[in-house]
Amino acid sequence: MDKNLNIIGKSKPKLDGKERVSGRAVYGHDIELPNMLHARILRSQYPCARIKSIDCTKALGLEGVKCILTAQDVDVNRIGYKRDHPVLKKDANCQRDEIAAVAATSKEIAAKALNLIHVEYEEIEGIFDPFEAMKEESRQINLHGKGKDLYGNKNIAESFHYSHGELEKQTKRSKVIVSRRYELPRVTHCCMATSNITADYSTMDGRLTLYASTQVPFLYQRDMAHALKMDPSLIRIIQPVIGGGFGSKLDMYPFEPICALLSIKTGKPVQLLYGREEEFLASPTRQTMIIDLTSGADADGKFTFREVRITMDNGAYTSWGATTPFVMMQTYSSLYQVAACDFQAKAIYTNNPFAGSFRGYGNPQATFSIERNNDLLADELGLGKDEIRLINANYPGEITGQGLHFKTCGAKPALTKVIEASNFIRKNREKHKGRYLKGVGLASMLHVGGGAKIYRSDGCGTRLKLDHYGYLDIITGSSEIGQGSETVLAMIASQELGIPMKHIKVVNTDTDVKPWDVGVHASRTSFVAGNSLLGAIRLMKQKLDRKAAQLMECEAGEFLYENGLIKRDKKEIRIDKVAREMHFGSPNELCIVEYFYEPESSFQDKQFMGDVSGNYAFASQAVEVEVDTFTGNVKVRDVYVSQDVGRVLNPMGLQGQIEGGVATGIGYALTEEMIYEKGYLMNPSFHEYKLLTAVDMPDIHFYPIETLDEAGPYGSKGAGEAPLIPTAAAIANAVSNALGIEFLTLPLSPEKVLKAWSEKKQNELANSQSI
Amino acid sequence: MNFNIESPTSKEELLNCLRNHQSGYFRLAAGFTDLLIELKKSKTEELTVINLSQIKDKQFTGIDIQPSGIRIGALVNVAQIGKNQSIRKSFPVLQQAADALASGQIREVATIGGNICQASPSGDLSCALVALKASCEILKMDGTIRHESLNDFFRGPAVTSLQKNEVLKSIVIPANQTNKLKSGFIKIGKRSAMECSIVSISYHFQLGADAAILHSGIAIGAVAPTVIFCREAADFLHKLNVNKIHETDQLKVAELIQQSASPIDDQRASAWYRNEVLFNSAKSIFEQD
Ligand SMILES: Cc1cc2nc3c(=O)[nH]c(=O)nc-3n(C[C@H](O)[C@H](O)[C@H](O)COP(=O)(O)OP(=O)(O)OC[C@H]3O[C@@H](n4cnc5c(N)ncnc54)[C@H](O)[C@@H]3O)c2cc1C
C-alpha cells in the first residue's frame, strides 16, 4: 500500500479524550434511569463453608427493600468458560462468593439490608495451595468440575499439553542446561472505573437492556442469555464509556446476571456498582503461576529445548483466564528459535478467588521465566546476554515448531535497537560500588499481532453511512475500552475518503445497531476492525465513483478523495453532493455499505499446531535500574522499548499504549501483589495494594519498528498488550545484574531485595573469614 | 457512613459547638483525609462531626513568624507548609516532610493539626515537628490555652493527651539559635507518592561557626507506638563537627537511633526490615556524598 499518507502516521488525540478529561463522559456510574433501584451483593463470610440457612425476613422488612435473591430463588444456568460457576451460591467456595443480592430504593438501604440478612455457615478448612489440591486425599473443590474424567484428577480445571521437536535428542546435544522454579504473584487490573452494570427489563415486551462495561458485547449477550435461559436476541447490550478494561471484562461475572435477575423480578431498572474495596475483593486477577522451566543451549549458544511445567492457581471457578496456556505455549515454542519444546500447563481449583484474563494473557509470566533462564544460559556459556538473544532471534520467513509463520519479523531490529540505545553491552559489564548499584536487563517478547483464531470467527463487521451533508458514521462491531482504536478507525476513513476527522463519528456501543465482532482482546481491534473498515471503504468508493462519474460526465474508474472532494484531472465534485444525488437522483439508493472481514489465520489442530494469527508482533526492552542497598528499593531509571508494530498508525495513541503497558509491567515487577491469607485478601485498597503513581514512572524511550506486514491495515500489527509483556523480565534481569543475586519470585519488593542482599553480604563475610 | 455535620466559622462558634456536644459522641475534623477512612469502617450511627475547616480565625489558619519562633495554625494545610519560604529556609526538615506527604491533591486539604491529632506513628509532619521540639497550643472549652510539648502530647498509636473539651489550635516551633543548619527528612516507602512511611527519620542540627553541632533534634517515625525523639543520639552528637563525623561515630549514632525504636511486623514491612532500614538510613545522615 504505497501512497502518500497525510493522516495515518500523524499524531491525533483520542476522539473521546476531551470528554473523558473534562468529566463529560458518561460512565456506567453516571447512568440514571427513572425509578431505578440500587443493588448490593452479600458475599461469603468465609472462603470455604457450607451454608446451613439464609434468613432474609428482617432485611425484607426494611422499608425500601424491593427484592432479595438467593440461590434458591432463581432458575439459572451456571456460567464461566467451563460452566462450573453458579451465579448465586448454595455453598461458599471463595471469599468472593455471592450468597444473596438485594435491590432497594437507595444505595444506603441496600447496604443496610445486607447487614440484616442472617446466614448460618459451617466453616470448612479451605485448600489454598494448588499442590495440596492435587493430592489424592484432597476434597473436590468445585463439584461441577470435570477434572476426574477429563484429566484424571478431580481438582484439575483445565490442562494443556503441547510439544514439538525431539526433546531427548536436543537435551543430549545441550552444552548447558538450566532448571528453575519461578513463582508469580496475583495482581489485578485496577481499572479506574469500578465494575458496574445497569439492567433494565421491560415486563411489556420481555426485552432486557444492559448497560454493561464489557469488552466482548456479543459473547456477553450469548453468555447472559445462557445464564438467564433467555433468547439472546431479546438482550441488548449498551456499552457506556468504559473506565479501563485490560482484559478484566472478557468474562461475564456473577454480579451481571444477578443485576439482570433483580431487574426481571422487580420490573424496574436496577444498578449495581462496586466500591473500591469490593473491586479488589471481587474482580478478576492475573493468574498466579508456579513455573518449572528447564532450558538448554548448545556450545554455539543456540537454544536446544525448553521443557516447562506450569501450575496455575485457578481459584474456585474457571474463567477465560484458564486458557492463557494458548498464548504461553506460543511463547515457549516460538519466542526465539527453539528446536524442541515440551509444554504442560494445568489450572488447579483452590479456594482462592478465581483468576481472569489480564493484558498479556499469561505471556508476562511465560516471558519472565524464559528470559530469566536465558540470562543464566548466557552466563554459563560465557556469552553476552545480548549475544545469546541475537544468535537465537526470530527472523522473517521463519515457520516455528508450532507452525506460526512470521511473514514479517522485527525481532532482530528491535533487539539491536534497544541494545544500542541503552548502551547495554558497556553497562552490563560495569561494576558499581557504594550504596546505589546500577544494572541493566534485557528481554524480548512475541505476541499475536493479527488477532487470534480461538472462536469460530475472529472477524469484525463494519457498516458505513454517508449522510446528505458529507458526514460519515462508521458503525463498527469493535469496541472502544480506552485503547484508542476508534480514533484509528476515524483516521483510516479520513485518510481514504478525504473526509475531515471532525465529520466522522464512530458508532460502536450498541449490539442492536452494530454488526458482529468477537471483542477487544488479543491486541486485535485496530487490525481486525481496521481491515474490516478498509473493506467497507472499498465498497463505498465503488458506489461513489460510479455516481461521481455519472455526475461529472466522465469515464467510470477511480477518483481521488481529498478535502471533502472527489476529483480526477481538472474535474471535481463535493462528496456530500454525490451522496445527495445518490439519495434523490435516479436510481435512488442509499449511500450505505457493509463489509465483513475474517482474518486469513487458521485454527490450531488438536496438537495446537497452526498459524493462528494474521501476523505477529515482536518487541524488546532494555531497562536500567538503580538499587538502593540501604533500603532494597529498586528504581527503574530508563526503559528502552522497541516494538515491531508493522506500521505506526497514530503515534500519540501508540505512545500511550507503550507507556501504559510499561507502567503495568513495572508494577508487576516491583510492587503489586494481592496478599492472601487462607483465602482472605489482606490488602483490598490502593493504600496497601501498591499501584505505582505518575511520579514513579521512569523515562520511556520508544523506537517503533515498521515491517509493513501486508496482512494489517497499512502494514500494521496489534500493539496493545506487547509493551507490558517483557518489562518484568527485563527489570528482574537488571536487578540481578546490579546485585549479582538471582530472584525467582515477583514482586521484587524492597524487603525481598534487602533480605537477599544482606544474606549475600553475610555469606561473603563468612567466606572471607573462613579463608 | 452517616453523620450530622456542624461547621463553626469562628472561635466563639467552635467553643459553643464543643459545649453543646460534651454529653454526646462527636468528632473533630479538618481535612477529613484520615477521618473519612476511619468513619467508613465504623458502624457508629448517631455521630456529629464538628467541621473545623470553615473557621476563619487567623490563630487557626495563619503562619505567624515571630523572633521567638513560628506559630502554625492547626488548620494550615500541608501544601501551604511546603510552599512557605520561612519554613523552607529555617526548617527544611518540615518542608521536606510536607512535600513527601501523600500527593498534591491530598496536600491541598490535609492539615497539620489533623496530622498531629491523628497521632499515627508514621505521621510525617509529626515526625519533623518532634525533631524540631515543637509544642502544642491547645484551646480549652473555657477559652483558655494549655501548652504541651509535642513529644508529651503523643501517648500511643492514635492516642494523644487531648481531652473531649479541647481542640488543637496551633503549633509553635522555637526559632533556630544559629543560622547554619543541617536539616532533612528521610522517608522510606515502596512508592514515591501516596505512601505511608515504613520508616522515617527527621533531623535538624543547628551549627556553630566551626560546623559544630550546638543544638540537635532527631526523631523517628513508624518504628514505635509513637513518633520517638532520639535523645541519646542527639546528646551524643553535641559539639561534634557535622562535616567530620567519623565512621565509627556514624555507626554509633545509627545504633543509638536504632535502640530507641521498637518496630513490629505488619503488612507493610517486617520488624526486621524496619530495623535494618532505620539503621542504614540513620548511618546515611552524615555520609558525605
Ligand atoms: C491517600 C492518603 C495518603 C496519605 N499519605 C500520608 C503521608 O504520606 N504521610 C502522612 O503523614 N499522612 C498521610 N496521610 C494521612 C493524612 O492525610 C494526614 O495525617 C493529614 O495530615 C491529616 O489531616 P486532616 O486535616 O485531613 O485530618 P482529619 O482527617 O480531618 O483528622 C484527623 C484526626 O485528627 C483530629 N483533628 C483534626 N484536626 C484537629 C484539631 N485541630 N484539633 C483536634 N483534633 C483534630 C480528627 O478528629 C481526627 O481524629 C494520607 C492519607 C491518605 C488518604
Side-chain angles (χ1 to χ4, degrees):
Chain A
M1 216 172 301
D2 217 0
K3 60 176 157 189
N4 288 335
L5 298 174
N6 60 342
I7 308 272
I8 294 296
K10 308 281 186 300
S11 280
K12 288 272 180 269
K14 287 173 98 260
L15 292 186
D16 56 350
K18 282 186 192 165
E19 296 253 314
R20 281 184 186 252
V21 298
S22 65
R24 269 190 61 88
V26 178
Y27 291 87
H29 309 67
D30 302 320
I31 291 170
E32 249 186 81
L33 301 177
N35 301 316
M36 187 172 84
L37 301 176
H38 301 268
R40 286 289 297 268
I41 289 174
L42 181 73
R43 296 182 190 279
S44 176
Q45 203 174 324
Y46 304 100
C48 188
R50 201 155 297 134
I51 295 174
K52 294 163 83 176
S53 67
I54 306 176
D55 182 359
C56 302
T57 19
K58 258 197 178 161
L60 279 167
L62 187 67
E63 199 183 322
V65 172
K66 296 294 175 193
C67 180
I68 300 182
L69 296 178
T70 66
Q72 286 180 345
D73 309 315
V74 295
D75 173 26
V76 286
N77 283 318
R78 289 189 300 274
I79 63 170
Y81 161 71
K82 291 267 174 179
R83 303 284 184 240
D84 62 357
H85 194 167
V87 169
L88 281 155
K89 278 71 173 176
K90 290 206 168 90
D91 288 304
N93 246 345
C94 71
Q95 196 194 5
R96 274 184 198 164
D97 272 0
E98 297 80 2
I99 309 300
V102 178
T105 48
S106 76
K107 286 180 200 160
E108 290 72 23
I109 295 173
K112 226 178 211 166
L114 290 190
N115 291 330
L116 297 176
I117 298 174
H118 183 73
V119 185
E120 207 183 330
Y121 296 94
E122 181 190 320
E123 201 188 350
I124 302 170
E125 181 73 15
I127 303 175
F128 307 106
D129 173 22
F131 295 106
E132 184 71 30
M134 273 192 287
K135 288 185 183 156
E136 189 55 42
E137 65 270 25
S138 286
R139 176 171 50 75
Q140 180 168 356
I141 293 169
N142 185 318
L143 298 180
H144 310 293
K146 303 221 164 44
K148 186 135 202 92
D149 296 340
L150 293 175
Y151 318 114
N153 183 314
K154 58 189 173 302
N155 282 330
I156 297 183
E158 178 62 291
S159 171
F160 293 85
H161 182 219
Y162 160 85
S163 70
H164 78 248
E166 297 168 284
L167 192 70
E168 213 169 306
K169 186 177 133 202
Q170 292 299 334
T171 310
K172 284 205 190 104
R173 279 194 58 234
S174 302
K175 169 120 188 279
V176 293
I177 292 176
V178 167
S179 267
R180 289 293 183 276
R181 167 170 286 195
Y182 298 103
E183 287 182 41
L184 295 147
R186 200 182 287 268
V187 294
T188 189
H189 309 71
C190 300
C191 299
M192 287 297 112
T194 54
S195 300
N196 62 86
I197 182 169
T198 307
D200 186 8
Y201 179 76
S202 163
T203 48
M204 309 291 150
D205 57 13
R207 286 178 183 266
L208 175 66
T209 303
L210 297 172
Y211 301 83
S213 292
T214 173
Q215 297 182 212
V216 288
F218 290 99
L219 299 181
Y220 185 92
Q221 180 187 41
R222 195 195 61 192
D223 282 351
M224 185 64 77
H226 169 80
L228 302 178
K229 304 187 175 174
M230 257 178 95
D231 180 349
S233 295
L234 291 176
I235 302 175
R236 174 183 184 189
I237 313 295
I238 297 177
Q239 295 158 280
V241 174
I242 294 174
F246 313 110
S248 66
K249 293 159 174 71
L250 199 66
D251 283 89
M252 182 188 76
Y253 301 102
F255 78 93
E256 294 165 295
I258 286 176
C259 191
L261 285 164
L262 288 168
S263 180
I264 291 169
K265 295 263 169 177
T266 58
K268 294 205 161 111
V270 181
Q271 184 170 76
L272 202 162
L273 309 176
Y274 279 15
R276 182 56 64 184
E277 186 176 333
E278 192 172 23
E279 184 77 10
F280 273 107
L281 281 173
S283 63
T285 71
R286 201 186 280 292
Q287 275 69 23
T288 53
M289 288 185 194
I290 296 125
I291 300 179
D292 291 296
L293 174 63
T294 305
S295 322
D298 68 14
D300 299 327
K302 288 284 286 178
F303 295 150
T304 46
F305 76 97
R306 285 183 193 136
E307 188 176 9
V308 61
R309 299 288 173 266
I310 301 177
T311 309
M312 304 196 285
D313 183 343
N314 192 54
Y317 309 102
T318 314
S319 73
W320 273 106
T323 67
T324 47
F326 274 125
V327 173
M328 292 196 284
M329 69 176 75
Q330 281 169 28
T331 298
Y332 287 104
S333 75
S334 307
L335 170 62
Y336 303 105
Q337 304 163 49
V338 202
C341 172
D342 189 77
F343 170 98
Q344 215 171 300
K346 295 191 179 102
I348 313 297
Y349 285 117
T350 65
N351 290 113
N352 289 318
F354 56 96
S357 56
F358 194 161
R359 192 175 182 183
Y361 215 72
N363 211 347
Q365 295 98 311
T367 302
F368 180 84
S369 66
I370 291 173
E371 287 292 30
R372 277 302 303 143
N373 270 17
N374 286 349
D375 265 22
L376 300 172
L377 288 172
D379 278 344
E380 292 210 9
L381 285 165
L383 280 172
K385 315 249 162 58
D386 51 319
E387 282 172 283
I388 196 161
R389 290 179 168 86
L390 286 167
I391 290 170
N392 291 288
N394 297 111
Y395 57 92
E398 182 181 351
I399 298 176
T400 75
Q402 201 186 349
L404 314 183
H405 186 183
F406 301 153
K407 293 172 205 92
T408 58
C409 172
K412 213 166 194 171
L415 249 175
T416 312
K417 185 74 216 174
V418 296
I419 290 167
E420 280 170 16
S422 65
N423 229 323
F424 182 84
I425 298 173
R426 179 172 64 72
K427 285 187 178 158
N428 194 250
R429 297 213 180 108
E430 262 170 14
K431 289 275 166 275
H432 298 273
K433 273 215 168 75
R435 171 173 177 178
Y436 298 99
L437 300 181
K438 283 187 186 170
V440 283
L442 199 56
S444 302
M445 75 97 226
L446 154 72
H447 205 70
V448 292
K453 195 150 275 185
I454 295 172
Y455 306 92
R456 287 188 60 200
S457 160
D458 193 25
C460 174
T462 305
R463 230 172 247 143
L464 288 179
K465 179 177 135 215
L466 188 65
D467 76 4
H468 283 183
Y469 316 103
Y471 280 57
L472 183 76
D473 284 343
I474 302 172
I475 304 158
T476 173
S478 68
S479 304
E480 173 70 28
I481 61 167
Q483 81 275 37
S485 58
E486 72 180 11
T487 308
V488 163
L489 295 182
M491 289 169 73
I492 292 175
S494 179
Q495 178 71 54
E496 296 299 321
L497 292 170
I499 299 174
M501 290 280 284
K502 59 177 191 295
H503 293 183
I504 299 174
K505 200 153 111 190
V506 182
V507 178
N508 53 1
T509 57
D510 188 343
T511 51
D512 270 7
V513 175
K514 64 181 189 175
W516 155 263
D517 169 79
V518 68
V520 181
H521 61 87
S523 305
R524 68 187 281 283
T525 304
S526 292
F527 178 92
V528 179
N531 275 338
S532 176
L533 172 61
L534 281 169
I537 288 171
R538 255 192 325 273
L539 298 178
M540 171 72 80
K541 276 185 166 175
Q542 283 169 11
K543 269 193 162 199
L544 289 165
D545 283 348
R546 229 176 9 245
K547 193 73 187 177
Q550 183 198 346
L551 292 171
M552 288 191 281
E553 296 176 342
C554 55
E555 257 176 65
E558 281 188 27
F559 290 84
L560 190 64
Y561 288 72
E562 224 173 53
N563 299 329
L565 298 168
I566 299 177
K567 44 190 184 181
R568 188 194 298 151
D569 304 328
K570 294 241 152 50
K571 291 193 169 167
E572 60 179 41
I573 184 166
R574 297 177 54 86
I575 194 165
D576 51 312
K577 172 133 178 88
V578 180
R580 275 195 302 276
E581 287 306 319
M582 221 183 262
H583 294 158
F584 298 147
S586 167
N588 304 65
E589 60 171 334
L590 289 170
C591 199
I592 291 180
V593 296
E594 61 183 25
Y595 185 78
F596 186 69
Y597 168 75
E598 183 66 42
E600 278 174 33
S601 48
S602 51
F603 288 106
Q604 290 176 335
D605 62 17
K606 290 233 158 56
Q607 278 71 49
F608 302 110
M609 295 284 179
D611 194 23
V612 288
S613 185
N615 62 33
Y616 296 88
F618 304 85
S620 293
Q621 294 186 7
V623 173
E624 186 167 358
V625 300
E626 186 177 83
V627 185
D628 182 346
T629 56
F630 280 17
T631 64
N633 267 314
V634 176
K635 187 172 172 50
V636 177
R637 298 179 61 90
D638 287 280
V639 180
Y640 302 85
V641 181
S642 188
Q643 188 170 319
D644 173 6
V645 297
R647 181 196 289 272
V648 180
L649 298 172
N650 181 4
M652 193 195 284
L654 180 59
Q655 185 79 25
Q657 288 295 301
I658 302 292
E659 291 181 5
V662 167
T664 306
I666 297 175
Y668 190 47
L670 298 181
T671 55
E672 290 184 47
E673 181 171 23
M674 304 181 86
I675 301 166
Y676 280 92
E677 274 173 26
K678 293 204 161 259
Y680 293 100
L681 178 62
M682 306 310 288
N683 56 340
S685 76
F686 278 131
H687 210 57
E688 299 295 344
Y689 181 91
K690 301 291 178 184
L691 190 71
L692 290 172
T693 70
V695 286
D696 294 298
M697 284 306 112
D699 288 334
I700 296 168
H701 315 270
F702 176 47
Y703 313 94
I705 304 285
E706 298 194 301
T707 48
L708 305 184
D709 190 288
E710 64 180 25
Y714 306 94
S716 65
K717 301 180 172 184
E721 291 170 280
L724 83 80
I725 292 168
T727 308
I731 290 174
N733 285 344
V735 173
S736 285
N737 177 237
L739 301 180
I741 298 173
E742 226 189 286
F743 291 93
L744 299 170
T745 63
L746 291 180
L748 301 175
S749 66
E751 182 150 355
K752 195 183 288 175
V753 171
L754 191 69
K755 196 153 240 157
W757 178 250
S758 311
E759 277 164 16
K760 179 177 157 136
K761 290 282 115 182
Q762 267 165 21
N763 288 342
E764 282 173 7
L765 198 68
N767 288 342
S768 69
Q769 280 166 350
S770 66
I771 290 167
Chain B
M1 182 176 48
N2 226 342
F3 49 80
N4 306 314
I5 193 147
E6 290 188 22
S7 302
T9 58
S10 67
K11 189 169 123 185
E12 301 320 317
E13 284 181 24
L14 168 63
L15 292 176
N16 266 332
C17 256
L18 278 180
R19 280 182 210 117
N20 293 341
H21 289 287
Q22 283 304 303
S23 58
Y25 180 56
F26 72 93
R27 294 296 300 270
L28 299 168
F32 290 80
T33 61
D34 276 320
L35 190 73
L36 277 189
I37 295 173
E38 191 190 322
L39 294 187
K40 264 189 189 167
K41 289 183 192 148
S42 87
K43 293 207 165 126
T44 324
E45 300 235 324
E46 282 301 304
L47 170 68
T48 299
V49 171
I50 301 180
N51 168 26
L52 305 175
S53 69
Q54 301 304 312
I55 295 175
K56 300 285 176 293
D57 195 316
K58 278 270 178 303
Q59 293 182 21
F60 280 91
T61 61
I63 300 179
D64 181 22
I65 294 144
Q66 298 287 333
S68 64
I70 184 165
R71 170 177 287 117
I72 305 175
L75 297 177
V76 169
N77 71 41
V78 180
Q80 287 171 299
I81 290 171
K83 282 182 235 160
N84 186 281
Q85 287 308 321
S86 303
I87 293 176
R88 187 170 288 259
K89 188 164 151 277
S90 306
F91 310 110
V93 58
L94 180 59
Q95 173 252 318
Q96 288 175 24
D99 287 351
L101 188 141
S103 66
Q105 296 93 321
I106 302 254
R107 290 196 286 271
E108 290 291 333
V109 289
T111 65
I112 185 168
N115 197 267
I116 292 169
C117 295
Q118 183 68 18
S120 159
S122 61
D124 289 331
L125 300 191
S126 298
C127 182
L129 290 165
V130 168
L132 291 168
K133 299 172 188 161
S135 60
C136 305
E137 297 184 324
I138 298 156
L139 175 67
K140 298 176 80 71
M141 200 168 66
D142 61 11
T144 59
I145 302 287
R146 174 167 80 84
H147 298 265
E148 185 171 32
S149 83
L150 185 57
N151 202 26
D152 294 338
F153 181 74
F154 292 130
R155 301 290 163 92
V159 186
T160 68
S161 72
L162 209 65
Q163 300 297 306
K164 201 174 176 184
N165 60 356
E166 296 179 327
V167 181
L168 180 64
K169 179 181 76 67
S170 42
I171 297 97
V172 176
I173 306 172
N176 292 325
Q177 295 174 37
T178 69
N179 284 332
K180 271 176 64 185
L181 297 173
K182 180 178 173 76
S183 175
F185 182 71
I186 299 172
K187 174 168 178 166
I188 310 300
K190 293 182 186 171
R191 55 186 172 194
S192 321
M194 300 296 269
E195 184 65 332
C196 215
S197 294
I198 291 175
V199 168
S200 60
I201 307 183
S202 300
Y203 57 88
H204 187 73
F205 305 116
Q206 303 176 43
L207 313 174
D210 51 356
I213 297 176
L214 299 184
H215 306 278
S216 60
I218 303 174
I220 52 180
V223 287
T226 63
V227 171
I228 298 284
F229 186 86
C230 304
R231 191 163 309 284
E232 287 77 15
D235 289 347
F236 176 83
L237 285 164
H238 193 60
K239 297 258 169 71
L240 296 186
N241 181 322
V242 78
N243 298 323
K244 293 185 188 148
I245 294 183
H246 202 269
E247 206 186 318
T248 48
D249 285 347
Q250 287 180 17
L251 290 175
K252 180 76 189 164
V253 172
E255 241 164 62
L256 289 171
I257 289 177
Q258 201 183 30
Q259 278 163 17
S260 39
S262 50
I264 51 161
D265 289 330
D266 68 12
Q267 196 162 293
R268 271 180 278 143
S270 68
W272 173 86
Y273 181 77
R274 290 193 155 99
N275 254 320
E276 202 78 359
V277 167
L278 179 66
F279 184 84
N280 289 341
S281 306
K283 205 172 61 174
S284 76
I285 298 175
F286 298 104
E287 273 177 4
Q288 307 297 330
D289 32 30

